[in-house]
Amino acid sequence: MEKLEKFTGVYNIEDHIATENLNTGKKVYGERLIEVDDKEYRIWEPRRSKLGAAIMNGMETFPFKTDSKILYLGASSGTTPSHISDIATNGTIWCVEFSPRMMRSLVELSRDRVNMVPLLDDATKPRNYLHLLEKVDILYSDVAQSKQSELFMENMRLYLKPEGIGIIMIKSRSIDVTQSPKKIFREEEKKLKTGGFKVLEKINLEPYEKDHLAMVCKFAF
Amino acid sequence: MEKLEKFTGVYNIEDHIATENLNTGKKVYGERLIEVDDKEYRIWEPRRSKLGAAIMNGMETFPFKTDSKILYLGASSGTTPSHISDIATNGTIWCVEFSPRMMRSLVELSRDRVNMVPLLDDATKPRNYLHLLEKVDILYSDVAQSKQSELFMENMRLYLKPEGIGIIMIKSRSIDVTQSPKKIFREEEKKLKTGGFKVLEKINLEPYEKDHLAMVCKFAF
Amino acid sequence: MKCYLTCSFAGFISLDENCTLLDYELFPRDKLKERFAKITAGIVTREEELILKRLVKKCDTIVIETNTPHSRYKNLKESIKFKYETPNMAGEFLRSNMEDLLKKTDFLKSDDDLTKIIHDLSIEITNDRLRKASESEDMFLIQAINSIDELDETTGKMVERLREWYSIHFPELDKIKNHERFVEIVADLGDRDSIIDSGVLDPDKDSVRTDKSIGAPISEIDLLILKEFASSIKSLQVTKRSITEYIDERMGEIAPNLKDLTGASLGAKLIAHVGSLERLSKMASGTVQVLGAEKALFRHLKTGERPPKHGLIFQHPEVRGAKWWIRGKVARTLALKISLAVRTDVYSGEYDPSIRESFEKRIEEIKKSNPFPKKST
Amino acid sequence: MKCYLTCSFAGFISLDENCTLLDYELFPRDKLKERFAKITAGIVTREEELILKRLVKKCDTIVIETNTPHSRYKNLKESIKFKYETPNMAGEFLRSNMEDLLKKTDFLKSDDDLTKIIHDLSIEITNDRLRKASESEDMFLIQAINSIDELDETTGKMVERLREWYSIHFPELDKIKNHERFVEIVADLGDRDSIIDSGVLDPDKDSVRTDKSIGAPISEIDLLILKEFASSIKSLQVTKRSITEYIDERMGEIAPNLKDLTGASLGAKLIAHVGSLERLSKMASGTVQVLGAEKALFRHLKTGERPPKHGLIFQHPEVRGAKWWIRGKVARTLALKISLAVRTDVYSGEYDPSIRESFEKRIEEIKKSNPFPKKST
């Protein structure tokens, strides 16, 4: 087992990445649990989590810290948020998810993890949760929608601290199935730049995810 | 009044073409009646009759004679057939028309004109009237249909005498509204040639009819 | 020996390979029309059977020119000898030498005029066909007008369902009472925010509250199916419009005078109610007046209740809009004019605007001379 | 003086232009969830009224950050002083310094854990919203399953009309008994000759006579309108298929175990019949067994007629297909398993294939131990 320098709270166990389980003894999505030196670790499956895939593919900017405040859009049933929750043990992860079905699992998960705050709401209408949120260090967006970049930027403008980091997982097929992913990624990057953001890094998620790109960005000013 | 050399049975009265009224005293379609030397003539309106328009525009081959047998497809309510009936006084004009409404007028007209034989039938199915017809000297077709050349040829093959003449009034808009009339006329001419016919003459019907062309043809052998 | 059989309005004629007349079997002179109808309908006539019976004795192969389905010859004697070819040599020869050949068969006597025979026969045949065609014209029209009722009922039910369904999401939109508009908005725009953003709602006229809806949020998949449902209602509405236009056009052809007097829809309903224009033309105007009120009429006859003043014709704006004390008179007048219009349509077919004009004039007179209700006596 | 008003789950906070705390009005600590629901619904709370009442005395302009429709502030005192700006300076400052500011307002005591408060509150709020969402999920499903009945009825009537209408032209086609196929042939091909030429008719299977039709010829315009009518029926059939797929998908999410046991359609009908999945989960299996047979049940209670053995669940192939002497047993077993499945769906939501498997096993046992009807005693 090895602590990964660049990735706070992420470990290398038998060539798998892993996080220390905040809720000992419980699996979240069927991942493997491994005990090392009296501590329990959860294997982070890059095929199930795009953030995991980005780490495997050599992500440079990994902004998550023990006390990070994170707004997570499209939290789904909590696979990736659970690993972030393992990392940001003293932070808060607001998890926005619109599907009641996903949210049911997410609420269950949140009960056991005090740093996870579930929100059944619509990420395309960020003002909806204006009265419940704080400004965050990291805005993470994984919403399979045609207007995913637009809602990402709107949320950043409302909730991201000036020095904060935004991470978006772009799924080209949700934007336009008829266009080539490359062209779509180029266009979405342009949108972010025009919208006042600086793209720090782009990570292709192959072979874990097809036609997906992770983009890391911050305010350009 | 002047008898027109090239056009049997057609007269020039005060710069109008006309035929001698077979059914004295009766108008067919509101045309003017003029008496000259104890004979009554019906003015032939080129705006109401495409054959009239073709004559006005200098048609060369006018095959109608006193004893002609004619198969007329698309006789409508009988405007043009009535003038042919004035000319072919000893002949027979089989008038095929599919619309009951048109046919009602046509039957009335035929009662007074023994050389007109009305047939409520479908010109696209020429075998339907196989048991009622003779071979004809002239096949005249004015059917506003997309397959007008095809049905014209099929009828000629069944009913036109070897030395007979076929006349077709092509309405480009019935064939394809999206194409230019010129192109359509060219294609229809090609169809006739490929189908074994020789085109003797083409007469544009402007200004009497828009996007119409009269084609006169015979068997190529 | 090989022979050829063809048919004409005069009967069946058989030629040999040299186009010499071999045999013939004529139709009875007074049955030409009936026989022609039979061969057109693809029926093997007695004459055809007779000549074929004779021909199979003489010939090895009989080449038949016919529009009759070949299967119908199967049961004849020695039908194995039959070949089918349309047109065939005999037919071609007959149509090229009609008069000669018919003279040889004694169909044409020396003083007969072939042209006249064909002319008269064709007019008879055509009149028969016209009669059948106008029946089918009526039938097409009747089906169309009946389909409108069904479309109305269907669309109505489906709109009610759509309103209930859509109200889960945006109950405030139900304030839009016009069905077509409601359906169009949902089909084209979909969810609440899109509708509000589009600006189609008129804040004054529609009185749809848009600030805060009490409805539930809606997911993409729920919205998609709702929109599809709305679109299919919309397409029914479009079809209804097309059929209405069709009825309008057809009525203008079949019964221009009736249409002018009653409008296409009511006219078509009257025709549909009795089954054909011709039947309508034979009805007494008193009957026309209460068509569609048969139940009330029956009650009247049975129990002595007041007779009905109007049936379907109540739908005419002049009847529906008439003051109660002249409504009976107006209905009677309209029924009279309908009878006149329908008869004109059937017998002359010509459009005569004076029918409607005289109706309107008569109505004006009735109104003028009855400004107030009569005191009951 | 100008001031800024913002709101958080803790209550209302007002800052001046230098982001100094000016005033605040907190929600009662035990009412956080209720108050949050109110501000989400766009309602001006008592606390907001109170703080605004105080602020208008001190300030000339009050810049309010809010999601509430502005019109709802109109009736408050001196509302002319209100400006609206969302987000505003106070909100931005609050969201950047939440813990500090809430400490200053005494909302947070020194030993309070803000993260825990937000965490617990959010879970409560989310659970409320989930409850509402699952109601609307059920409602969408119920509307969808009900629309299927209407589409069936509608399509049925329209197909009957189409058959009658089309039979004027080509009555022989009516031999095609499958509605979908009939509609498709007419919509896509149209007239008799096109249909025959296309070769879609199977001479063996369809037994449609194609040689000579007794129908009337049809004109272009009559055919066009018939085809349009047929097409609109076809589009209804397509919509029905889409809705059926939608129900299938939704049932898989809402009630995977019920769907597994009964199929999507019957499961959705059961939910629709009682109004919600939750209500269904609370019913005794004896009640579930006769859902949809209320009339027969009522007759039984009133007149002592035999009680019904099954209601809607008769549609299940195992019940419908069961021999009569075991049908009651099968229905009872199915109803029991339905109750189990629905409870699993409501309380755990996890798909458990063993429910259907144990049902199938039980049915096998019933069949095996009752091969013949019992002699009546």
Side-chain angles (χ1 to χ4, degrees):
Chain A
M1 192 207 68
E2 176 202 353
K3 218 172 151 161
L4 293 172
E5 185 82 25
K6 240 168 37 186
F7 303 96
T8 311
V10 186
Y11 302 83
N12 177 348
I13 303 179
E14 303 163 10
D15 281 344
H16 294 288
I17 49 172
T19 52
E20 189 182 334
N21 196 353
L22 185 65
N23 187 22
T24 320
K26 279 213 178 170
K27 294 180 183 189
V28 174
Y29 57 99
E31 72 282 10
R32 247 199 319 151
L33 301 182
I34 292 178
E35 205 158 322
V36 182
D37 300 336
D38 272 352
K39 283 183 177 167
E40 189 180 85
Y41 297 89
R42 296 163 57 228
I43 297 293
W44 192 342
E45 289 287 352
R47 292 196 180 276
R48 301 287 303 279
S49 160
K50 284 166 209 143
L51 184 57
I55 293 172
M56 293 299 286
N57 284 359
M59 184 181 207
E60 287 288 334
T61 322
F62 189 77
F64 301 92
K65 303 280 173 274
T66 321
D67 60 352
S68 294
K69 287 185 199 300
I70 299 132
L71 172 55
Y72 194 118
L73 308 176
S76 190
S77 56
T79 302
T80 302
S82 72
H83 285 292
I84 298 176
S85 152
D86 283 348
I87 297 166
T89 45
N90 289 317
T92 307
I93 310 141
W94 281 274
C95 298
V96 177
E97 173 55 48
F98 189 48
S99 154
R101 193 166 57 102
M102 296 299 174
M103 186 47 85
R104 287 193 186 100
S105 315
L106 197 60
V107 168
E108 285 319 300
L109 186 63
S110 303
R111 284 192 200 284
D112 300 330
R113 293 169 173 265
V114 75
N115 60 356
M116 280 180 69
V117 177
L119 268 177
L120 183 68
D121 222 317
D122 185 351
T124 65
K125 291 167 193 148
R127 284 185 182 196
N128 277 1
Y129 32 91
L130 201 60
H131 302 323
L132 204 60
L133 249 64
E134 295 175 48
K135 291 261 179 180
V136 296
D137 303 297
I138 302 155
L139 198 145
Y140 183 100
S141 179
D142 182 10
V143 181
Q145 270 230 349
S146 59
K147 301 258 171 197
Q148 45 193 250
S149 302
E150 284 82 351
L151 75 89
F152 176 55
M153 290 191 285
E154 248 191 288
N155 275 278
M156 283 199 287
R157 287 189 197 109
L158 267 178
Y159 297 113
L160 191 61
K161 288 183 187 167
E163 70 284 8
I165 294 286
I167 301 173
I168 180 170
M169 298 297 172
I170 298 179
K171 182 179 178 184
S172 70
R173 302 181 61 80
S174 299
I175 293 170
D176 190 342
V177 284
T178 66
Q179 297 273 340
S180 87
K182 269 198 182 168
K183 196 175 162 205
I184 289 171
F185 295 147
R186 227 180 301 127
E187 276 168 16
E188 298 306 306
E189 189 179 348
K190 212 166 125 191
K191 278 187 203 164
L192 288 173
K193 284 179 179 166
T194 320
F197 297 90
K198 195 165 126 187
V199 175
L200 302 175
E201 191 180 349
K202 290 174 284 182
I203 307 126
N204 192 308
L205 303 187
E206 305 259 4
Y208 307 106
E209 294 276 356
K210 247 196 101 185
D211 303 339
H212 274 78
L213 188 78
M215 268 198 229
V216 184
C217 61
K218 54 185 291 186
F219 286 110
F221 47 70
Chain B
M1 193 207 68
E2 178 202 353
K3 217 171 152 164
L4 292 172
E5 186 81 25
K6 241 169 39 188
F7 303 96
T8 310
V10 186
Y11 301 84
N12 177 349
I13 304 180
E14 303 162 11
D15 282 343
H16 295 288
I17 49 173
T19 52
E20 190 183 334
N21 196 354
L22 185 64
N23 186 22
T24 320
K26 278 214 179 170
K27 294 180 182 188
V28 174
Y29 56 99
E31 73 281 10
R32 248 198 319 150
L33 301 182
I34 292 179
E35 206 156 322
V36 182
D37 301 337
D38 273 352
K39 282 183 177 168
E40 190 181 84
Y41 296 89
R42 296 165 54 229
I43 296 293
W44 193 341
E45 289 286 350
R47 293 195 179 276
R48 301 288 303 280
S49 159
K50 284 166 210 143
L51 184 57
I55 294 172
M56 293 299 286
N57 285 357
M59 184 179 207
E60 287 287 334
T61 324
F62 189 77
F64 301 93
K65 303 280 174 275
T66 321
D67 60 350
S68 293
K69 288 185 198 297
I70 299 132
L71 173 55
Y72 193 119
L73 307 176
S76 192
S77 56
T79 301
T80 302
S82 72
H83 285 291
I84 298 177
S85 152
D86 283 348
I87 296 165
T89 44
N90 289 317
T92 307
I93 309 140
W94 282 273
C95 297
V96 177
E97 172 56 49
F98 189 49
S99 153
R101 194 165 57 101
M102 296 298 174
M103 185 48 84
R104 286 194 186 98
S105 314
L106 197 60
V107 168
E108 284 320 299
L109 187 63
S110 304
R111 283 193 201 284
D112 300 330
R113 292 169 172 265
V114 76
N115 59 356
M116 281 180 70
V117 177
L119 267 177
L120 183 68
D121 221 317
D122 184 351
T124 65
K125 290 164 194 150
R127 285 184 182 198
N128 278 1
Y129 32 91
L130 201 60
H131 302 323
L132 204 59
L133 249 64
E134 294 176 47
K135 291 261 180 180
V136 295
D137 303 297
I138 301 156
L139 197 144
Y140 183 101
S141 179
D142 181 10
V143 181
Q145 270 230 350
S146 58
K147 302 259 172 196
Q148 44 193 250
S149 303
E150 285 81 351
L151 75 89
F152 176 56
M153 291 190 285
E154 247 191 288
N155 275 280
M156 284 200 287
R157 288 189 196 110
L158 268 178
Y159 297 113
L160 191 61
K161 289 183 188 168
E163 70 283 10
I165 294 285
I167 301 173
I168 180 171
M169 297 298 171
I170 298 179
K171 182 178 177 184
S172 70
R173 301 182 60 83
S174 299
I175 294 169
D176 190 342
V177 283
T178 66
Q179 298 272 341
S180 86
K182 269 198 180 166
K183 196 175 163 205
I184 289 170
F185 295 147
R186 226 180 302 127
E187 276 168 17
E188 299 305 307
E189 188 178 350
K190 212 167 124 192
K191 278 188 203 164
L192 289 172
K193 285 179 177 166
T194 320
F197 297 90
K198 195 165 126 187
V199 175
L200 302 176
E201 189 180 349
K202 290 174 282 183
I203 306 127
N204 193 307
L205 301 188
E206 305 259 4
Y208 306 106
E209 293 276 356
K210 247 196 102 185
D211 302 339
H212 274 77
L213 189 77
M215 269 198 230
V216 183
C217 61
K218 55 184 291 185
F219 287 109
F221 48 70
Chain C
M1 199 176 84
K2 190 174 179 181
C3 73
Y4 295 85
L5 180 68
T6 184
C7 166
S8 82
F9 65 93
F12 290 88
I13 291 171
S14 174
L15 306 182
D16 68 11
E17 284 171 290
N18 303 318
C19 291
T20 315
L21 182 61
L22 200 66
D23 197 356
Y24 57 87
E25 185 67 44
L26 300 178
F27 295 139
R29 196 61 176 265
D30 59 341
K31 297 271 189 237
L32 292 183
K33 190 182 80 169
E34 288 73 12
R35 289 297 194 273
F36 192 80
K38 280 198 174 170
I39 56 175
T40 304
I43 294 166
V44 178
T45 59
R46 194 182 329 149
E47 288 76 14
E48 192 164 15
E49 286 188 26
L50 281 172
I51 194 169
L52 282 168
K53 210 181 261 179
R54 294 198 298 270
L55 289 173
V56 290
K57 286 180 190 156
K58 291 187 260 186
C59 308
D60 313 315
T61 305
I62 301 142
V63 181
I64 306 176
E65 175 186 86
T66 187
N67 285 328
T68 301
H70 305 162
S71 58
R72 302 204 177 160
Y73 292 92
K74 285 273 145 55
N75 298 325
L76 300 185
K77 242 190 193 168
E78 296 193 62
S79 65
I80 198 151
K81 289 182 172 177
F82 302 163
K83 298 267 175 295
Y84 307 93
E85 199 183 303
T86 307
N88 72 5
M89 224 185 64
E92 292 278 294
F93 187 81
L94 168 68
R95 284 185 289 278
S96 303
N97 306 276
M98 181 81 76
E99 191 152 6
D100 281 0
L101 213 50
L102 292 185
K103 273 185 184 154
K104 279 195 191 143
T105 63
D106 289 330
F107 179 84
L108 282 183
K109 308 288 180 282
S110 55
D111 54 346
D112 274 346
D113 179 354
L114 178 59
T115 305
K116 175 114 182 46
I117 293 173
I118 292 181
H119 174 264
D120 293 353
L121 177 63
S122 284
I123 287 181
E124 278 186 73
I125 292 169
T126 300
N127 274 332
D128 273 3
R129 289 186 180 177
L130 277 177
R131 213 164 298 126
K132 271 190 76 174
S134 77
E135 274 168 31
S136 72
E137 269 181 345
D138 284 7
M139 286 196 294
F140 279 123
L141 178 75
I142 290 168
Q143 293 298 328
I145 191 79
N146 287 340
S147 78
I148 291 274
D149 286 344
E150 271 142 17
L151 279 171
D152 277 342
E153 197 193 320
T154 290
T155 320
K157 270 190 195 159
M158 286 176 68
V159 173
E160 283 314 315
R161 170 62 55 205
L162 179 69
R163 285 178 181 274
E164 212 182 309
W165 194 343
Y166 193 71
S167 288
I168 303 170
H169 170 55
F170 187 14
E172 293 80 4
L173 195 71
D174 202 44
K175 284 257 177 179
I176 292 186
K177 291 301 169 204
N178 179 294
H179 283 351
E180 289 222 18
R181 181 137 180 269
F182 184 90
V183 170
E184 186 155 339
I185 288 175
V186 175
D188 295 351
L189 297 167
D191 71 310
R192 183 173 54 219
D193 289 350
S194 305
I195 293 174
I196 293 171
D197 293 349
S198 75
V200 290
L201 299 179
D202 183 325
D204 297 327
K205 279 190 212 145
D206 289 327
S207 66
V208 172
R209 286 202 46 183
T210 56
D211 44 4
K212 275 280 163 179
S213 169
I214 60 161
I218 190 165
S219 75
E220 192 80 12
I221 165 172
D222 293 321
L223 186 62
L224 270 178
I225 199 73
L226 251 168
K227 280 178 82 169
E228 183 170 346
F229 190 66
S231 296
S232 69
I233 302 177
K234 202 176 150 187
S235 95
L236 289 184
Q237 291 168 335
V238 169
T239 301
K240 187 194 153 180
R241 268 200 295 278
S242 302
I243 298 179
T244 307
E245 279 162 24
Y246 164 87
I247 290 170
D248 205 69
E249 195 177 330
R250 275 300 188 224
M251 278 296 288
E253 291 167 13
I254 297 173
N257 293 296
L258 178 60
K259 178 188 167 187
D260 192 34
L261 187 62
T262 62
S265 169
L266 173 55
K269 280 181 194 167
L270 289 166
I271 296 171
H273 196 79
V274 302
S276 79
L277 183 67
E278 207 188 328
R279 220 171 296 162
L280 186 62
S281 75
K282 286 175 182 151
M283 283 184 167
S285 75
T287 312
V288 172
Q289 189 179 340
V290 295
L291 279 177
E294 284 75 9
K295 267 189 199 162
L297 191 65
F298 187 69
R299 263 202 314 276
H300 159 65
L301 295 172
K302 210 172 160 196
T303 68
E305 260 181 53
R306 282 225 222 152
K309 283 203 203 99
H310 36 65
L312 280 166
I313 64 166
F314 180 70
Q315 295 175 19
H316 194 286
E318 285 292 359
V319 180
R320 202 176 48 227
K323 304 265 190 307
W324 60 264
W325 61 91
I326 58 167
R327 194 174 284 154
K329 274 195 176 62
V330 172
R332 204 154 49 247
T333 308
L334 178 60
L336 269 165
K337 296 294 180 185
I338 288 175
S339 292
L340 175 61
V342 172
R343 276 165 211 166
T344 313
D345 286 332
V346 170
Y347 300 114
S348 96
E350 291 295 314
Y351 170 54
D352 177 1
S354 76
I355 300 176
R356 186 181 40 80
E357 284 159 12
S358 75
F359 167 69
E360 282 166 1
K361 222 174 106 191
R362 182 74 194 105
I363 295 301
E364 280 317 303
E365 289 166 14
I366 293 174
K367 284 180 185 166
K368 225 176 255 172
S369 50
N370 296 275
F372 305 109
K374 272 190 193 138
K375 293 228 170 81
S376 63
T377 46
Chain D
M1 199 177 83
K2 191 174 179 180
C3 73
Y4 295 84
L5 180 68
T6 184
C7 166
S8 81
F9 64 92
F12 290 88
I13 291 171
S14 173
L15 306 183
D16 69 11
E17 283 171 290
N18 303 317
C19 291
T20 313
L21 182 62
L22 200 67
D23 197 355
Y24 57 87
E25 185 67 45
L26 300 178
F27 295 138
R29 197 59 177 264
D30 59 341
K31 299 269 190 239
L32 293 183
K33 191 182 79 172
E34 288 74 10
R35 289 299 194 274
F36 192 80
K38 280 198 173 170
I39 55 176
T40 305
I43 293 167
V44 178
T45 59
R46 194 183 329 149
E47 289 76 13
E48 191 165 16
E49 285 188 27
L50 281 173
I51 194 169
L52 282 169
K53 211 181 259 178
R54 292 199 299 271
L55 288 174
V56 290
K57 285 180 192 155
K58 288 187 261 185
C59 308
D60 313 316
T61 305
I62 300 143
V63 181
I64 306 175
E65 176 186 84
T66 187
N67 285 328
T68 301
H70 305 163
S71 58
R72 302 203 179 162
Y73 291 92
K74 285 273 145 54
N75 298 326
L76 299 186
K77 243 189 192 167
E78 296 193 62
S79 64
I80 198 151
K81 288 183 172 176
F82 302 164
K83 298 266 175 296
Y84 307 93
E85 199 183 302
T86 307
N88 72 7
M89 224 185 65
E92 291 278 294
F93 187 81
L94 169 68
R95 285 184 290 277
S96 303
N97 305 276
M98 181 81 75
E99 192 151 6
D100 282 358
L101 212 50
L102 292 186
K103 273 183 184 154
K104 278 195 191 142
T105 63
D106 289 331
F107 178 84
L108 282 182
K109 307 289 180 284
S110 55
D111 55 345
D112 273 347
D113 179 355
L114 177 60
T115 305
K116 175 112 181 51
I117 294 172
I118 292 180
H119 174 264
D120 293 353
L121 177 63
S122 284
I123 288 182
E124 278 186 73
I125 291 169
T126 300
N127 273 332
D128 273 3
R129 289 185 180 177
L130 278 176
R131 213 165 297 127
K132 273 190 73 174
S134 77
E135 275 168 30
S136 72
E137 269 181 345
D138 284 7
M139 286 196 293
F140 278 123
L141 178 75
I142 290 169
Q143 293 299 328
I145 190 79
N146 287 339
S147 78
I148 291 274
D149 286 345
E150 271 142 16
L151 279 171
D152 277 343
E153 199 193 319
T154 290
T155 320
K157 271 190 195 161
M158 286 176 68
V159 174
E160 283 315 315
R161 171 62 56 204
L162 179 69
R163 285 177 181 276
E164 214 181 308
W165 194 344
Y166 193 71
S167 288
I168 303 170
H169 170 55
F170 187 14
E172 294 80 4
L173 195 71
D174 202 45
K175 284 257 177 178
I176 292 187
K177 291 301 169 203
N178 179 295
H179 283 352
E180 290 222 17
R181 181 137 181 267
F182 184 91
V183 170
E184 187 155 339
I185 289 175
V186 175
D188 296 351
L189 297 167
D191 71 310
R192 182 173 56 220
D193 288 349
S194 306
I195 293 174
I196 293 170
D197 293 348
S198 75
V200 290
L201 298 179
D202 184 325
D204 297 328
K205 279 189 211 146
D206 289 327
S207 66
V208 173
R209 288 202 46 182
T210 55
D211 45 3
K212 275 280 164 180
S213 170
I214 59 161
I218 191 165
S219 75
E220 192 81 12
I221 165 171
D222 292 322
L223 186 63
L224 270 178
I225 200 72
L226 250 168
K227 281 178 83 171
E228 183 170 347
F229 189 67
S231 295
S232 70
I233 302 177
K234 201 177 152 188
S235 95
L236 289 185
Q237 291 167 335
V238 170
T239 301
K240 186 194 154 180
R241 267 199 296 277
S242 301
I243 298 180
T244 307
E245 280 163 24
Y246 164 87
I247 291 170
D248 205 69
E249 195 177 329
R250 274 299 187 225
M251 278 296 288
E253 292 167 11
I254 297 173
N257 293 295
L258 178 60
K259 178 189 168 187
D260 192 34
L261 188 62
T262 63
S265 168
L266 173 55
K269 280 180 193 165
L270 289 166
I271 297 171
H273 196 79
V274 301
S276 79
L277 184 67
E278 208 188 328
R279 220 170 296 161
L280 187 61
S281 75
K282 286 175 181 150
M283 283 183 166
S285 75
T287 312
V288 172
Q289 189 178 339
V290 294
L291 279 177
E294 284 76 8
K295 267 189 201 162
L297 190 64
F298 187 69
R299 263 202 313 276
H300 159 65
L301 295 173
K302 210 172 159 195
T303 68
E305 259 181 54
R306 281 223 224 155
K309 283 203 203 99
H310 36 65
L312 280 166
I313 65 167
F314 181 70
Q315 296 176 18
H316 193 286
E318 285 292 359
V319 179
R320 202 176 48 226
K323 304 268 189 306
W324 60 265
W325 60 90
I326 57 167
R327 194 175 283 157
K329 273 196 178 61
V330 171
R332 204 154 50 246
T333 308
L334 178 60
L336 268 166
K337 296 293 180 186
I338 287 174
S339 292
L340 175 61
V342 171
R343 276 164 211 165
T344 313
D345 287 330
V346 170
Y347 300 113
S348 94
E350 291 295 314
Y351 169 54
D352 177 0
S354 76
I355 300 176
R356 185 181 38 79
E357 284 159 12
S358 75
F359 168 69
E360 282 166 1
K361 223 175 107 193
R362 183 74 193 103
I363 295 301
E364 281 316 303
E365 289 166 15
I366 294 174
K367 284 180 185 166
K368 224 175 256 173
S369 50
N370 296 276
F372 305 108
K374 271 190 194 141
K375 295 229 170 81
S376 61
T377 45

